[in-house]
Amino acid sequence: MPWTYDTSNIFARILRGEIPNKTVLETADTLAFHDIRPQAPVHVLVIPKGAYVDFAHFAAEATEAEIADFHRTCARVCEMLGVNGDGFRAITNAGAHGHQEVPHYHLHILAGRPLGPMLVRPA
Ligand code: 5GP
């Protein structure tokens, strides 16, 4: 599938330094920062610095080094935030049905309270 990356998306602007962020951890290929509208006491977003639209794009076209760095950064963030003991949820949204708002691949790391079931079934 050909992916088209919109360079005006908000995370691209954060990566260019045009918008501030509360950085948790930064590596050569990955940035982790606090979500601006946290949905749990801990809500961190982890993004690759490369221009990838979503999970499928990243998994298909990122280098082995980018993929390793991304996942190791996620693990280091969990360690730094102390969420491994009580647990956390790591989720990514993709496309319209996934309700993805920002078209730059990101993993949400949510923790700090019991998070309940993953989805609420529609009535
Ligand atoms: P999505 O719905 O695409 O999976 O999640 C996008 C996330 O980005 C949302 O949780 C939203 O609160 C967060 N977000 C949107 N704009 C900004 C911003 O300018 N700064 C930060 N730190 N987070 C943002």
Side-chain angles (χ1 to χ4, degrees):
M1 167 171 174
W3 287 274
T4 304
Y5 182 82
D6 172 10
T7 57
S8 69
N9 80 74
I10 202 92
F11 294 169
R13 298 187 63 199
I14 285 175
L15 286 168
R16 288 197 295 269
E18 296 168 7
I19 295 175
N21 74 90
K22 289 188 181 172
T23 299
V24 176
L25 184 61
E26 181 170 11
T27 69
D29 293 324
T30 308
L31 179 67
F33 54 98
H34 292 283
D35 196 291
I36 204 166
R37 290 187 296 274
Q39 296 186 40
V42 172
H43 189 169
V44 170
L45 302 169
V46 186
I47 68 173
K49 291 185 176 177
Y52 303 104
V53 173
D54 58 14
F55 169 79
H57 189 193
F58 182 68
E61 296 194 352
T63 65
E64 307 289 310
E66 287 176 308
I67 291 170
D69 185 74
F70 181 83
H71 289 94
R72 295 213 167 101
T73 300
C74 291
R76 284 177 63 198
V77 165
C78 288
E79 186 70 31
M80 287 170 66
L81 297 171
V83 302
N84 284 324
D86 287 333
F88 62 91
R89 181 169 293 152
I91 54 173
T92 187
N93 299 317
H97 283 196
H99 211 279
Q100 181 180 7
E101 291 175 17
V102 180
H104 180 113
Y105 174 50
H106 51 283
L107 198 72
H108 297 255
I109 296 176
L110 298 144
R113 64 168 170 79
L115 296 166
M118 191 167 66
L119 293 176
V120 176
R121 288 182 185 275

